[in-house]
Amino acid sequence: MPPVRLFILVPECDAEGESPWDWVQNTQPWTEQNDAQWNGSGRLGATWLPSKLRIIHRERSGDFYDFSTHPIVSPHAWDVLQGVVGESVEALPVHIVNGGPLLLLNVLDRVPLASGSETSCRGMKGLATLIHRFVFREKDLCGKAIFRVTGEGVSYYHCVVAEPFKKSVLAGGLIGADFIEIDWHPDPLAEYEGGAPVCVSHVVLA
């Protein structure tokens, strides 16, 4: 069986690394309550307070809007993606002060890094925000179309998607997103009964 192909979901950029697509900006000051919403790991619908966001217009408007920690998409994009993401994503309304409507995707699935992964820390109170070597247990990827990467001391804000997600985006004619393929590695210790302690290498960057 061929290995699962995985991609980092990012805004589409040109050769110089600049994105021509509109993005959204938070208009509200930081509060503990809002911060708790962004950092939650479960469903948020019952307590969700729609954030006030502003579209920053660039050269083109697409179906995906860059917003740091969470994908924000057009209603059309959600219509296309619902069939592939199933119950693993919760679509939440946001208040767009200069347009809309748009939806914030609360990605519910989590996949932990396995032994042999390599990360580095930069800011964020010493949390690893960069991953240089991805190692996963193959069983943890089963059936997941989109997920967030977790691990002790890891705070990785990009979403990772599998090939069915990418194919749905392309087949549905959705625009504004790009997919950076990950050269990930299966955990060589996963075959042993009971597994082994997870050892992730962290480097602190100045």
Side-chain angles (χ1 to χ4, degrees):
M1 185 175 179
V4 176
R5 294 181 69 190
L6 299 176
F7 307 84
I8 301 170
L9 179 64
V10 296
E12 185 180 13
C13 295
D14 58 26
E16 284 72 43
E18 296 294 326
S19 175
W21 301 97
D22 296 347
W23 59 286
V24 291
Q25 180 184 65
N26 195 355
T27 66
Q28 297 174 283
W30 180 91
T31 67
E32 212 168 293
Q33 187 178 25
N34 286 337
D35 192 51
Q37 281 200 137
W38 300 121
N39 294 326
S41 59
R43 291 189 174 275
L44 301 172
T47 58
W48 177 250
L49 298 174
S51 297
K52 292 183 179 179
L53 308 176
R54 175 185 292 111
I55 296 175
I56 305 300
H57 292 287
R58 289 182 172 170
E59 298 169 31
R60 303 181 66 185
S61 296
D63 293 294
F64 290 83
Y65 291 76
D66 186 27
F67 182 65
S68 138
T69 57
H70 293 72
I72 291 183
V73 301
S74 66
H76 172 59
W78 178 237
D79 289 341
V80 170
L81 295 172
Q82 279 187 78
V84 70
V85 301
E87 295 298 312
S88 67
V89 172
E90 179 184 32
L92 300 168
V94 290
H95 177 60
I96 304 298
V97 299
N98 62 341
L102 297 175
L103 297 166
L104 178 143
L105 301 188
N106 179 27
V107 177
L108 301 171
D109 279 345
R110 301 289 189 270
V111 173
L113 291 172
S115 294
S117 297
E118 297 175 359
T119 68
S120 60
C121 305
R122 176 174 285 149
M124 295 267 314
K125 299 180 181 178
L127 295 175
T129 56
L130 302 174
I131 302 175
H132 308 287
R133 176 181 167 87
F134 292 82
V135 181
F136 298 119
R137 288 180 290 270
E138 291 179 278
K139 66 177 183 178
D140 292 338
L141 301 173
C142 185
K144 291 182 173 63
I146 181 170
F147 60 86
R148 292 193 176 279
V149 178
T150 63
E152 185 176 354
V154 173
S155 179
Y156 190 68
Y157 71 86
H158 289 297
C159 291
V160 175
V161 303
E163 197 164 16
F165 185 100
K166 178 182 177 181
K167 287 182 175 180
S168 291
V169 169
L170 298 179
L174 303 181
I175 56 176
D178 202 1
F179 303 89
I180 301 175
E181 187 158 11
I182 298 173
D183 181 21
W184 71 277
H185 306 271
D187 181 6
L189 302 177
E191 63 184 86
Y192 295 101
E193 186 176 354
V198 174
C199 181
V200 177
S201 173
H202 297 294
V203 176
V204 179
L205 300 179

